[in-house]
Amino acid sequence: MQLYGMPGWGSAIVEVMLALVGEPYDFVDVEGFDRPGEAQDRLAAVNPLRQVPTLVLDDGEVLTETAAIALWLADRHAGLAPRPGTIEHRRFLRLLIWIVANVYPSFTYGDYPARWAPSAPDELVAATGAYRERLYRWLEDQVVGPYLLGEQPCALDCYMAVMIDWRPGCEWFARNAPRLLVAARLMRRDPKLAAVMARNRLAVD
Ligand SMILES: N[C@@H](CCC(=O)N[C@@H](CS)C(=O)NCC(=O)O)C(=O)O
């Protein structure tokens, strides 16, 4: 399969998932896809929504949405989700959908404020930033430890392994959501992820 993405961006979340379960893939770097140009055209040719991650499967089908990709991979491999029927699996589903329905959109709007609020971009950045911090504070309370859902990592940890570098950033997590930071750093240290961490310039400490 081919993964269209950009180092350190949402495609890195899917790279972490793929590496964790050992699915081979080719990475198509579309750096600069969020402005008009060759990279954007290349991405739009397979995904008119022009977002990463975009996965083109071996049968030519296009799969987008990190949560859909996580669930699809979890159907094929152990290690990305708790066993169906368990309380942990229910919590997993809740938090997976919660992240993409709440945290991720705060970037969709906050990263491109002029697109959504051309007359008040700074206010939109401030509002989405404050909302995101509130969301992460809530998520911090859900962490079982050492990983998000307990002793085993799951796809939720793949998100946080990448997202701790996004706003509000590691220092904020250290002060306000330390258990999330610990879980994310633990995930980053998984030897199966070494190459993905390096290529996405995600520090392992
Ligand atoms: N709901 C999507 C969100 C993907 C997303 O927003 N990706 C960002 C990069 S991290 C993007 O492509 N932004 C460009 C844009 O929205 O125009 C998912 O979960 O995969």
Side-chain angles (χ1 to χ4, degrees):
M1 65 184 100
Q2 289 185 307
L3 175 65
Y4 286 66
M6 188 163 151
W9 288 41
S11 49
I13 297 168
V14 170
E15 284 201 81
V16 173
M17 294 177 194
L18 290 167
L20 204 57
V21 300
E23 277 272 6
Y25 62 97
D26 291 324
F27 185 72
V28 182
D29 193 335
V30 285
E31 183 139 16
F33 75 92
D34 60 344
R35 49 184 187 272
E38 184 271 331
Q40 186 174 84
D41 294 345
R42 212 143 47 103
L43 179 62
V46 291
N47 178 10
L49 297 174
R50 297 180 193 160
Q51 283 192 328
V52 298
T54 293
L55 204 52
V56 180
L57 305 181
D58 291 343
D59 61 4
E61 181 87 11
V62 172
L63 187 56
T64 65
E65 306 310 313
T66 47
I69 294 167
L71 293 172
W72 175 71
L73 284 172
D75 276 350
R76 294 157 58 98
H77 301 272
L80 270 186
R83 197 163 41 79
T86 60
I87 293 174
E88 288 75 20
H89 188 256
R90 208 168 56 206
R91 288 186 188 146
F92 166 78
L93 292 176
R94 179 186 184 199
L95 293 181
L96 179 67
I97 302 308
W98 179 87
I99 285 176
V100 294
N102 293 279
V103 180
Y104 221 140
S106 76
F107 292 105
T108 306
Y109 304 114
D111 282 357
Y112 302 95
R115 197 188 282 173
W116 310 106
S119 56
D122 295 345
E123 283 87 337
L124 183 59
V125 172
T128 51
Y131 180 50
R132 186 183 309 123
E133 289 180 10
R134 188 152 69 86
L135 294 171
Y136 278 139
R137 285 181 210 274
W138 179 82
L139 187 58
E140 170 77 357
D141 291 339
Q142 313 307 311
V143 177
V144 176
Y147 293 102
L148 259 87
L149 292 183
E151 296 298 324
Q152 300 300 323
C154 68
L156 303 173
D157 300 283
C158 300
Y159 280 86
M160 290 316 302
V162 174
M163 287 169 113
I164 52 162
D165 276 9
W166 300 358
R167 284 173 289 127
C170 282
E171 282 178 20
W172 184 91
F173 282 104
R175 280 196 310 275
N176 300 284
R179 297 197 305 160
L180 275 175
L181 187 63
V182 166
R185 286 188 167 149
L186 190 57
M187 184 80 261
R188 284 187 178 196
R189 287 201 289 272
D190 188 313
K192 291 193 283 299
L193 305 183
V196 168
M197 291 294 123
R199 207 156 48 72
N200 285 280
R201 300 186 281 276
L202 302 173
V204 180
D205 48 20

